[in-house]
Amino acid sequence: RSIPTVLTVEELLDKAFSKAKKAGDAVVDKDRVYRTRKQMTRMVGSAGDSLSSTLLEWVRRWPSLDQMSEFDVAMVEAAVGCDDYKKNLAALQWAAERSQRISGEAQSKILRLRDIDGFHKARRHAYGRLSSIIDQISPQILWLGDARDVLRKLPSTDPFEPCIVVAGSPNVGKSALIGALSSGEPQVASYPFTTKQIHLGHFTHRRRVYQMVDTPGLLDRPMTERNQIEMQAIAALEHLGDVLLFLIDRTDDSTTPVSEQEHLLGEVKGLLPDRRVLLVSTKSDLIEENDSQDDHRISSITGEGLEGLRADLIEIIDADRVEDPLSLPDHWPRQDEN
């Protein structure tokens, strides 16, 4: 969410040349030749500095893939593509360096000239070259502007707090469960490619915040046939969470047949062989007792089974366990002595 606004090419150039004009207008010298030389030199320098500093600031403030968690990298890959992400930021770095070089070359040229017309001509020539450089990266600037809108909508989690991923087929009650267990209003983030949304909720136990992340409904079909929304869900499954809750709807009116839901469960377990998976049967208020071997039966409407599920999650994650009480992690929650 700290990714900066990306200006259009026109806005970027207008900003640079407006600053350059102000820099030129600030020059005071009684000698017309010296005054004009200083004006043109400062204008070229200011324009180059403005373009370069703006582009480099964009590069600096866009998160580095090398410093992201595996989950965040997977989300970027699914949403906009990591290769495009790196290439387009690299184009801005190149344009920033070229702008500085063009500005420096123009300043040196102006200082060697002796006539006023030559000063103005050199300044106009430098402006043209700077504009050409920015025009060359206009596709990359447009891409980054669109990517920013997409990336700002992706879920954000705290890597230092326990995390529970909620998965299952469409309409099995994932967002309803998160809403029922959450301490406050769940955060809703719209997915960029569809009207589907992801819900982020949390509950607190002994000052620890337990995060809950739902995933867009996965369909029971081969990985190669899954769309970007489903791939983001896979990213959450593979790289996030201490426990996976797999929700299954065993009612007669379930959107996805129970056999397909169970097949999907088998695929998810194969994808995450080392992850603890709890099988949770939802909408228990709509079904009679069954002989399925589910870990929990819940109803987000009546509240049946919710407290038992919460207690089980806290026990499984065991976030309060401390190996050495004299050496707590930096992120461990503390209370001020005062």
Side-chain angles (χ1 to χ4, degrees), residues 3-19:
I3 297 176
T5 300
V6 179
L7 303 177
T8 65
V9 168
E10 293 75 16
E11 291 170 338
L12 187 58
L13 291 173
D14 286 345
K15 174 184 175 182
F17 295 149
S18 293
K19 285 188 175 182

Side-chain angles (χ1 to χ4, degrees), residues 115-147:
D115 62 292
I116 291 177
D117 288 342
F119 300 153
H120 283 285
K121 183 177 180 180
R123 191 265 305 168
R124 289 194 296 270
H125 180 67
Y127 275 19
R129 293 183 66 194
L130 290 172
S131 298
S132 177
I133 289 297
I134 302 303
D135 284 339
Q136 286 184 53
I137 62 167
S138 60
Q140 287 77 20
I141 290 177
L142 288 173
W143 186 94
L144 289 167
D146 292 339

Side-chain angles (χ1 to χ4, degrees), residues 179-193:
L181 281 182
S182 292
S183 305
E185 283 295 322
Q187 175 189 348
V188 180
S190 297
Y191 264 81
F193 309 105

Side-chain angles (χ1 to χ4, degrees), residues 71-180:
F71 169 70
D72 288 334
V73 172
M75 294 296 281
V76 171
E77 174 62 32
V80 298
C82 290
D83 286 344
D84 288 338
Y85 186 97
K86 290 186 287 188
K87 288 177 182 177
N88 288 301
L89 286 178
L92 266 60
Q93 180 87 30
W94 169 83
E97 295 171 355
R98 287 290 299 156
S99 296
Q100 283 284 28
R101 186 180 306 172
I102 290 171
S103 173
E105 292 172 353
Q107 287 176 299
S108 297
K109 181 177 180 179
I110 291 172
L111 292 175
R112 293 195 300 268
L113 296 174
R114 294 293 180 266
D115 62 292
I116 291 177
D117 288 342
F119 300 153
H120 283 285
K121 183 177 180 180
R123 191 265 305 168
R124 289 194 296 270
H125 180 67
Y127 275 19
R129 293 183 66 194
L130 290 172
S131 298
S132 177
I133 289 297
I134 302 303
D135 284 339
Q136 286 184 53
I137 62 167
S138 60
Q140 287 77 20
I141 290 177
L142 288 173
W143 186 94
L144 289 167
D146 292 339
R148 174 185 180 271
D149 295 338
V150 171
L151 295 174
R152 284 172 60 86
K153 295 176 181 178
L154 295 181
S156 178
T157 59
D158 186 341
F160 297 118
E161 296 292 358
C163 187
I164 301 152
V165 174
V166 185
S169 298
N171 301 319
V172 294
K174 296 186 294 296
S175 59
L177 170 62
I178 290 177

Side-chain angles (χ1 to χ4, degrees), residues 31 47 70 95 130 167 173 191 214 240 242 251 265 280 290 295:
D31 187 289
E70 289 184 343
L130 290 172
Y191 264 81
D214 86 336
L240 190 67
D242 300 281
T251 64
L265 171 62
V280 180
N290 60 72
D295 295 301

